[in-house]
Amino acid sequence: MNKSSIVGGYYNSYCYFYNKPFVESFEETPLLVAVLTYMGYGILTLFGYLRDFLRDWNFEKCHVAKERDEQKDFVPLYQDFENFYTRNLYMRIRDNWNRPICSVPGARMDVMERVTHDYNWTFKHTGTVLFDVINMGSYNYLGFAENSGLCANAAVEAAMKYGLGVCGTRHEIGNLDKHEELEKLVARFLGVESSMVFGMGFATNSMNIPTLAGKGCLILSDELNHASLVLGARLSGSTIRVFKHNNMQSLEKLLRDAIVHGQPRTHRPWKKILILVEGIYSMEGSIVRLPEVIALKKKYKAYLYLDEAHSIGALGPGGRGVVDYFGLDPCDVDIMMGTFTKSFGAAGGYIGGNKELIDYLRTHSHSAIYATSMSPPVAQQIITSMKCIMGEDGTTLGQERLCQLSKNTTYFRRRLQEMGFIIYGNNDSPVVPLMLYMPAKIGAFGREMLKRNIGTVVVGFPATPIIESRARFCVSAAHTKEMLDTALNAISEVGDLLQLKYSRHAWPSDEETNHFSYLDSHQD
C-alpha cells in the first residue's frame, strides 16, 4: 500500500487550498523487511548484553567512560544503561559519521581518509585525501557554498574592513551597519514589516520560543519537528501537545479540545496557543500543508510559528520559501523563522514578522541580549547571496539557480523511484530520504557509496523510528546532470548489492504523468 497524498483538482475536500497537485509519498514498510529489521536489532541487542558481560569480567577491553572504583559510592555521573546503544550498536557503524573534509562543501569535496584499529572507538588519519567526491549530503541547495565568485569576494572584502569577530552583543558595541542592512534586506525578501538576525540557527528557535510562550500557554507541535523547536518548547514552560505529522484532522482536534476544555484543572482559557511547524521536514522530505494550517489557525485564533530552515531559498518561484511556494500572504504567518546555513551558504538565523513582535524580541530574547553578534563576513555572504536570489545583483544567476534546483530535484527523485527504491517526501523537496530499514545496511550503504566516490549521509535510530533507517540526499543547484547520473548509477549498483529496491508501487505511467501536467496547467 502506498500512503501517498494527492491534493489538487477534485482529489479531496481541501482542493480549494491548492492551485496545483500536492504530491507526497510515504510507502508502507514491507512486512518482511519490518520483521527482519526488528530481528536485526534484537540480535544486536543480545550480542550487546553478551559483550557487556565480557567487559564486566575483563574478557573484553572497555573504552567507555565510567566511574573509577573509588567513586562507587557517589551518585553515578555516567548512566551505564543509557549508553548501551552507543556502546554496542552505534559504535559498529561510527565510521560513517564525522568524516573530516578539507575543501569547500560544494558539489564536489575532498575527504580525509582515516582508519581504525579498535573497531571505531578511535580513528587515525592516513594522510591520504579522497579528491572530488560527489557531495550528496550538504544542505548547499543553491550552490552558494563556494570559495570563489561574487559572494566569496564580498565576504573577503568585509573581513578586511570589519575583521572576523565583533566581540560584543547587539546591545553593546556589537551592532554593525551590516547587521542593520541585513535585517532590512531580510524583511524585504520575506515581505514582512521587520526582521531580526541571530548568529546561530539552532539558538534562533531554542532561545526565542521561550520568549514568545510561557506558563499558561499551549504549544501544538508537529511530531517530526526539529530538535531546536522541541528544546525551545520545553524551555518555555508551556504545555506541549503533539499532533500527527502533517495531519490536519489531528491538529484541529487538539485546537478544538484546547478551546473547549482550556487549561488542566482550572479550565481557564489558554493565554496563547502557538502552532509550531516546519517548511520542509529535514528527515522526511515532506512539505508542510501550510494553506490548511493557516486556515485552522485563523479559525481557532491561534498563532503560527513557521520554521523555514530548509525551505527558504529552496522553494517557491522567487526562492522565498514555503509561503512563496503556495502563493500565500506572509502576513498570515505570525512568526517566520529561518536559517542562513543552507541555501545562503552562511551561518545564523532570522525571525521575521510585524514590527511590534521584532521590537519585543530585541529587548527580551536571550539570543539577542547575551549572544555575540553575527560575524561581518558571514553577514556579507548572506547579503550578497540574498540579493543574487532577488535579482538585485544585476544578473539572472539567482533565478537560474532556483530553476536548476527544481529540475535537479525532479530528475533525481524520479530516477530513484524508477529504479525501485522507496523514497519519502514531496516531489518538490530537495531533501530526498532513501529507505534502508535494516541496521546492518546503514553502515554498508555509507561505506559502499564512499568507495564509489559519493559522499552521503546515513541516518538511523534514535534520529528516526527504529525500523525507518535511511540515507538522506540533498540535491543542489550546483550538481550537473553528469554528477547526478554518476551518483544515481552508484546508488543503483549499491542498491542491487544490498538488495535495497523494496518498492512495490509502480511508477506513474506516461498517461498519469500527462494527467498531472494537465491539472497543473489548468490550475495555475
Side-chain angles (χ1 to χ4, degrees):
M1 176 184 177
N2 183 41
K3 296 181 180 178
S4 63
S5 161
I6 304 175
V7 182
Y10 300 97
Y11 285 90
N12 73 13
S13 60
Y14 288 104
C15 62
Y16 53 86
F17 286 120
Y18 302 88
N19 58 12
K20 62 180 179 180
F22 182 79
V23 184
E24 292 195 338
S25 179
F26 297 93
E27 187 170 342
E28 188 175 356
T29 306
L31 180 60
L32 178 61
V33 174
V35 170
L36 291 175
T37 302
Y38 280 121
M39 287 179 60
Y41 276 107
I43 293 169
L44 284 170
T45 302
L46 288 174
F47 273 91
Y49 281 116
L50 175 61
R51 297 187 72 176
D52 278 352
F53 174 79
L54 294 176
R55 291 179 187 127
D56 288 340
W57 289 90
N58 296 320
F59 287 108
E60 181 176 329
K61 188 175 181 181
C62 183
H63 301 272
V64 177
K66 59 182 180 180
E67 285 86 0
R68 291 173 294 181
D69 291 337
E70 55 266 32
Q71 293 177 306
K72 284 184 177 179
D73 294 330
F74 287 74
V75 176
L77 180 63
Y78 305 102
Q79 294 297 322
D80 186 63
F81 182 77
E82 291 177 5
N83 293 325
F84 179 87
Y85 179 86
T86 303
R87 289 194 308 273
N88 298 300
L89 282 79
Y90 166 75
M91 203 56 63
R92 291 171 174 266
I93 54 176
R94 182 171 170 237
D95 56 302
N96 285 278
W97 292 282
N98 306 317
R99 288 190 180 119
I101 68 171
C102 50
S103 68
V104 175
R108 292 183 181 272
M109 60 183 177
D110 301 333
V111 180
M112 296 176 66
E113 187 180 65
R114 60 182 182 173
V115 295
T116 178
H117 302 293
D118 54 7
Y119 304 101
N120 294 336
W121 286 99
T122 61
F123 295 96
K124 292 183 179 179
H125 298 296
T126 64
T128 304
V129 176
L130 306 176
F131 293 102
D132 291 331
V133 175
I134 296 177
N135 182 3
M136 296 301 299
S138 295
Y139 311 128
N140 185 26
Y141 297 131
L142 293 181
F144 284 117
E146 49 196 0
N147 56 5
S148 61
L150 192 63
C151 293
N153 294 339
V156 169
E157 290 177 11
M160 296 300 293
K161 180 178 179 180
Y162 297 95
L164 296 177
V166 180
C167 303
T169 69
R170 295 286 296 275
H171 282 233
E172 295 166 345
I173 312 180
N175 188 33
L176 301 180
D177 57 343
K178 280 293 170 191
H179 296 140
E180 297 194 358
E181 179 187 351
L182 174 58
E183 288 178 342
K184 291 177 182 176
L185 181 64
V186 169
R188 193 153 49 84
F189 180 64
L190 297 175
V192 296
E193 287 183 12
S194 185
S195 75
M196 187 175 183
V197 298
F198 305 88
M200 181 182 178
F202 190 98
T204 306
N205 277 333
S206 62
M207 292 291 101
N208 284 299
I209 293 175
T211 310
L212 298 169
K215 189 176 180 181
C217 297
L218 174 65
I219 291 179
L220 302 180
S221 178
D222 189 291
E223 66 179 344
L224 297 182
N225 274 342
H226 189 262
S228 59
L229 290 168
V230 174
L231 178 60
R234 289 174 177 172
L235 290 175
S236 72
S238 304
T239 299
I240 304 169
R241 290 175 185 163
V242 178
F243 61 92
K244 294 179 182 178
H245 174 57
N246 243 353
N247 188 312
M248 296 303 106
Q249 289 77 21
S250 176
L251 175 58
E252 184 167 18
K253 183 179 185 303
L254 291 178
L255 283 167
R256 190 185 299 115
D257 289 346
I259 299 298
V260 172
H261 300 295
Q263 299 184 41
R265 293 191 301 275
T266 65
H267 298 292
R268 292 176 180 173
W270 295 100
K271 294 178 181 178
K272 188 186 300 177
I273 300 177
L274 182 64
I275 303 170
L276 301 184
V277 293
E278 295 185 47
I280 291 178
Y281 290 84
S282 59
M283 282 297 168
E284 306 300 310
S286 56
I287 297 175
V288 65
R289 296 177 176 275
L290 191 59
E292 299 172 51
V293 175
I294 288 176
L296 288 177
K297 81 104 182 177
K298 287 181 176 179
K299 180 178 179 181
Y300 293 98
K301 305 295 187 293
Y303 293 94
L304 176 59
Y305 186 109
L306 173 64
D307 178 348
E308 293 224 66
H310 286 268
S311 54
I312 193 70
L315 286 180
R320 289 172 170 83
V322 70
V323 176
D324 187 29
Y325 175 77
F326 287 113
L328 303 171
D329 186 352
C331 296
D332 287 335
V333 180
D334 302 289
I335 304 106
M336 297 185 70
M337 177 272 170
T339 65
F340 302 119
T341 52
K342 282 85 178 175
S343 296
F344 303 96
Y350 67 83
I351 285 184
N354 61 49
K355 189 175 184 302
E356 184 180 3
L357 166 71
I358 303 304
D359 288 345
Y360 176 80
L361 289 177
R362 289 191 197 281
T363 55
H364 290 80
S365 170
H366 285 72
S367 194
I369 299 170
Y370 301 111
T372 302
S373 303
M374 181 184 287
S375 173
V378 172
Q380 185 60 60
Q381 163 78 16
I382 301 164
I383 290 170
T384 309
S385 57
M386 190 171 289
K387 285 184 175 179
C388 182
I389 296 171
M390 297 169 72
E392 294 184 3
D393 62 338
T395 71
T396 59
L397 180 62
Q399 193 59 42
E400 289 170 5
R401 293 194 181 195
L402 289 168
C403 292
Q404 189 61 48
L405 175 62
S406 178
K407 290 178 182 177
N408 286 353
T409 297
T410 302
Y411 176 70
F412 191 73
R413 279 183 166 275
R414 179 173 56 81
R415 284 290 309 277
L416 287 176
Q417 287 176 318
E418 287 173 350
M419 290 176 184
F421 293 104
I422 293 181
I423 304 300
Y424 274 9
N426 191 285
N427 284 359
D428 294 325
S429 169
V431 178
V432 186
L434 183 152
M435 304 311 294
L436 304 176
Y437 297 113
M438 301 179 195
K441 295 185 179 182
I442 301 172
F445 186 85
R447 296 176 193 128
E448 291 295 329
M449 290 299 291
L450 191 60
K451 285 180 185 177
R452 292 159 177 78
N453 232 37
I454 312 294
T456 60
V457 172
V458 288
V459 191
F461 178 82
T464 68
I466 194 165
I467 65 164
E468 292 187 8
S469 301
R470 65 198 67 181
R472 183 185 64 181
F473 302 105
C474 292
V475 182
S476 170
H479 289 136
T480 63
K481 186 175 183 297
E482 290 71 25
M483 290 180 191
L484 293 179
D485 284 336
T486 301
L488 286 163
N489 290 335
I491 294 167
S492 181
E493 185 179 330
V494 175
D496 290 331
L497 177 67
L498 302 179
Q499 298 183 3
L500 296 173
K501 298 179 179 180
Y502 301 116
S503 180
R504 298 168 296 176
H505 179 65
W507 176 250
S509 64
D510 292 339
E511 183 180 349
E512 290 174 302
T513 304
N514 291 336
H515 178 59
F516 286 129
S517 300
Y518 174 83
L519 280 174
D520 195 5
S521 63
H522 280 68
Q523 291 177 1
D524 285 340

